[in-house]
């Protein structure tokens, strides 16, 4: 028996509707990234994003539930970018926890330097913490924690060393150096314009990581 025309039409158009929604969601996410990079969080609102995406702002509420949901989706997208950048396993496993941390910090320098969107997000987190920036920070923290868990194996910091505090200080240093480079091309008088400048930073960060975990004796 031949199926009614309406059933056939519904089957034919359902994939199109799915593809249209996927394209619209991608366009909204791309517009959210563009507005953030080009204009900053002061202009990051539903109306501006909808204009940049060329869609009705109601679609942002329909597909993302509003700015909170869009921030969460964008935070997940940023975290995925971090995971991708950190996904290449080194040819040799780290010989120590200090080496693992040094590699993480070196990789983080490259990830942050190459991602203006992430720089904007971190700057916003520092200047105006709120529910949206919390979503971004949580997504980024998960990506870094997953990277460490994947490569850590049996490595552990020496006894009597406050690894979470030390790692937080070192990560904050990397973030601040990258933000300073983007804003002024230097930080605390240290030039950060070319690769020779950044090689100095990499060596300094590595030295600090190796020294911090050199022994288990408390400072």
């Amino acid at each position: 028996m031949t199926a009614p025309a309406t059933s056939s039409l519904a089957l034919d158009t359902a994939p199109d509707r799915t593809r249209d929604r996927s394209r619209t969601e991608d366009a909204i996410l791309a517009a959210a990234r563009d507005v953030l990079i080009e204009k900053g969080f002061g202009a990051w609102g539903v109306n501006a994003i909808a204009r940049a995406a060329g869609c009705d702002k109601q679609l942002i509420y329909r597909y993302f539930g509003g700015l909170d949901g869009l921030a969460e989706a964008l935070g997940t997208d940023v975290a995925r970018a971090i995971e991708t950048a950190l996904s290449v396993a080194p040819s040799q496993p780290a010989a120590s926890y200090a080496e693992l941390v040094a590699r993480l910090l070196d990789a983080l320098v490259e990830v942050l330097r190459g991602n203006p969107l992430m720089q904007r997000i971190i700057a916003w987190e520092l200047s105006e913490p709120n529910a949206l920036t919390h979503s971004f920070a949580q997504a980024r923290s998960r990506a870094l924690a997953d990277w460490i868990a994947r490569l850590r194996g049996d490595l552990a910091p020496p006894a009597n060393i406050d690894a979470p505090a030390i790692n937080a200080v070192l990560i904050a240093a990397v973030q601040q150096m990258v933000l300073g480079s983007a804003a002024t091309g230097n930080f605390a008088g240290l030039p950060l314009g070319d690769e020779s400048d950044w090689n100095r930073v990499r060596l300094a960060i590595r030295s600090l990581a190796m020294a911090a975990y050199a022994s288990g004796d408390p400072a």
Side-chain angles (χ1 to χ4, degrees), residues 69-153:
L70 183 56
E72 183 176 351
L74 191 56
T76 299
D77 196 51
V78 169
R80 192 176 297 118
I82 298 176
E83 290 166 355
T84 299
L86 298 178
S87 64
V88 179
S91 57
Q92 296 293 330
S96 66
Y97 186 84
E99 175 68 25
L100 177 66
V101 172
R103 289 182 181 183
L104 168 65
L105 296 169
D106 190 61
L108 188 59
V109 167
E110 296 310 305
V111 171
L112 294 182
R113 285 183 65 203
N115 196 317
L117 173 61
M118 211 175 305
Q119 295 170 21
R120 283 280 197 178
I121 290 172
I122 292 171
W124 193 36
E125 290 170 6
L126 297 175
S127 64
E128 191 181 339
N130 54 52
L132 297 181
T133 60
H134 180 72
S135 296
F136 291 127
Q138 289 291 98
R140 190 172 68 258
S141 295
R142 283 194 300 270
L144 293 175
D146 289 346
W147 187 91
I148 291 178
R150 179 164 53 85
L151 298 181
R152 178 174 176 173

Side-chain angles (χ1 to χ4, degrees), residues 126-200:
L126 297 175
S127 64
E128 191 181 339
N130 54 52
L132 297 181
T133 60
H134 180 72
S135 296
F136 291 127
Q138 289 291 98
R140 190 172 68 258
S141 295
R142 283 194 300 270
L144 293 175
D146 289 346
W147 187 91
I148 291 178
R150 179 164 53 85
L151 298 181
R152 178 174 176 173
D154 295 329
L155 298 176
N160 302 321
I161 292 292
D162 189 350
I166 291 173
N167 292 343
V169 169
L170 293 173
I171 290 171
V174 169
Q175 291 185 168
Q176 192 61 47
M177 298 284 277
V178 173
L179 294 182
S181 172
T184 64
N186 69 84
F187 182 75
L190 181 70
L192 297 170
D194 57 31
E195 283 306 307
S196 64
D197 297 331
W198 280 102
N199 284 336
R200 289 181 65 191

Side-chain angles (χ1 to χ4, degrees), residues 194-212:
D194 57 31
E195 283 306 307
S196 64
D197 297 331
W198 280 102
N199 284 336
R200 289 181 65 191
V201 172
R202 292 186 188 96
L203 289 173
I205 290 173
R206 180 179 182 83
S207 296
L208 289 171
M210 300 303 287

